Amino acid sequence: MRLAFMGSPGFSVPALRALVAAGHEVVMVYAQPPRPAGRGQKETPCPVHRAALDLGLPVRTPQRLRNNAAELADFAALNLDVAVVAAYGLILPQAMLDAPRLGCLNIHASLLPRWRGAAPIQAAILAGDAESGITIMQMEAGLDTGPMLLAEALPIGPRMTMPELHDALSEMGARLIPRVLEAIPAPVPQPEAGVTYAPKLTKADARLDWTLPADVLDRRIRALNPWPGTVTDWGGETLRILAAEPGVGEGAPGTILALGAAPLVACGQGALRLTRLQRAGRAAMPSGDFLRGSPMTLGMILG
């Protein structure tokens, strides 16, 4: 098929490569514009942009699509059979949704209608869901409301982290989208029951509330690292908590109950053992190494 691919983060790259490998004619790739990154704040292309260049594909990086008549005209002039969208980051106006012969298909990282929205992978872990999955859907104007063409489930292991689930779903999407394009399945409307939303994450979501139960905080740490991360106050300093595991203990929320190989911290219910930590401006390290060089003491309160 003659198609355009629209995506930006690393999640989308396997799908782009799979479409090229399947022999589809990818005539244009759309990605978010380069952003300042690193210590030097050098303008850096996003992962999909870099992958497209590696594959020898042309790339467009518009700042916006709405009220952008020139960009919409260029898109229509591509004479596409279909556009494949995977975590692109811009809302497609109706004229763009209607331009390809078969419309626009979205690779969404959840089992719709559960977790429509911007952060479905994190939301599934935060909620303690037993499974996630990929839904290939026909795009329409609503937020992830379009009819479904294909869906496949993936179990979420009890200790699965966001990067692990992210990578598994990314590879699943890359495997499913060529199947859909081989023979477009009949669209199935999404169920009206069971709709949930996964809002965009912000830096404010990183702060841990030790009054919450230990199992809730454990899921937050697994879901929100590497971004926005999970942090707590430690003697006036921000301490990043990169990994933890359930422990046994009780006390006032935020109190360090034990040290040993890793700090054990009291939660609203139960306790968490912090296994990987990072001070501001320092390297991340296992807790045993962290404790040998830091003034963390029994009874200290994290907050």
Side-chain angles (χ1 to χ4, degrees):
M1 285 193 183
R2 181 178 174 88
L3 62 86
F5 185 85
M6 312 178 85
S8 296
F11 175 86
S12 314
V13 170
L16 173 60
R17 294 190 181 278
L19 291 169
V20 172
H24 293 286
E25 183 185 6
V26 182
V27 297
M28 187 60 64
V29 173
Y30 286 79
Q32 287 281 309
R35 308 271 194 242
R39 291 187 177 181
Q41 292 295 284
K42 181 181 177 181
E43 292 284 315
T44 304
C46 69
V48 165
H49 189 161
R50 296 196 299 271
L53 295 178
D54 289 342
L55 292 165
L57 301 174
V59 183
R60 286 179 180 160
T61 59
Q63 293 282 354
R64 59 182 177 83
L65 296 175
R66 287 182 171 178
N67 301 315
N68 189 342
E71 195 64 53
L72 296 182
D74 287 342
F75 184 78
L78 294 173
N79 296 315
L80 302 172
D81 291 315
V82 69
V84 174
V85 183
Y88 176 38
L90 291 180
I91 295 175
L92 275 59
Q94 190 64 49
M96 188 169 276
L97 295 175
D98 295 339
R101 179 174 62 88
L102 298 173
C104 299
L105 306 184
N106 180 242
I107 304 172
H108 187 76
S110 81
L111 297 175
L112 291 169
R114 187 162 179 79
W115 304 130
R116 296 174 179 173
I121 300 175
Q122 295 90 337
I125 296 176
L126 286 170
D129 289 356
E131 64 178 8
S132 180
I134 288 290
T135 303
I136 311 295
M137 55 167 283
Q138 187 85 43
M139 295 181 69
E140 58 182 32
L143 178 63
D144 300 327
T145 58
M148 303 176 294
L149 302 179
L150 182 65
E152 186 172 305
L154 177 75
I156 299 177
R159 304 299 306 154
M160 184 172 271
T161 64
M162 184 272 178
E164 291 168 342
L165 182 55
H166 170 281
D167 291 354
L169 292 175
S170 174
E171 293 299 329
M172 178 181 283
R175 177 169 52 82
L176 294 183
I177 189 62
R179 284 177 50 189
V180 169
L181 295 185
E182 284 176 12
I184 304 293
V188 177
Q190 293 186 34
E192 295 183 4
V195 175
T196 56
Y197 292 92
K200 185 177 181 179
L201 297 168
T202 71
K203 289 184 178 180
D205 293 306
R207 181 68 56 177
L208 291 177
D209 178 359
W210 295 105
T211 66
L212 295 173
D215 60 342
V216 173
L217 291 172
D218 173 50
R219 293 198 298 268
R220 291 193 70 80
I221 293 166
R222 288 188 286 113
L224 301 185
N225 280 299
W227 197 92
T230 44
V231 300
T232 190
D233 182 73
W234 168 54
E237 181 179 339
T238 297
L239 179 66
R240 186 167 183 176
I241 300 170
L242 300 171
E245 60 188 22
V248 177
E250 294 182 358
T255 303
I256 297 177
L257 303 175
L259 292 173
L264 181 68
V265 182
C267 306
Q269 295 176 15
L272 274 184
R273 196 174 303 280
L274 313 183
T275 58
R276 190 168 181 82
L277 301 169
Q278 184 178 18
R279 296 177 73 170
R282 306 286 184 87
M285 62 184 66
S287 293
D289 296 337
F290 175 88
L291 289 173
R292 282 192 286 272
S294 69
M296 186 174 278
T297 59
L298 287 175
M300 183 177 283
I301 304 293
L302 304 180

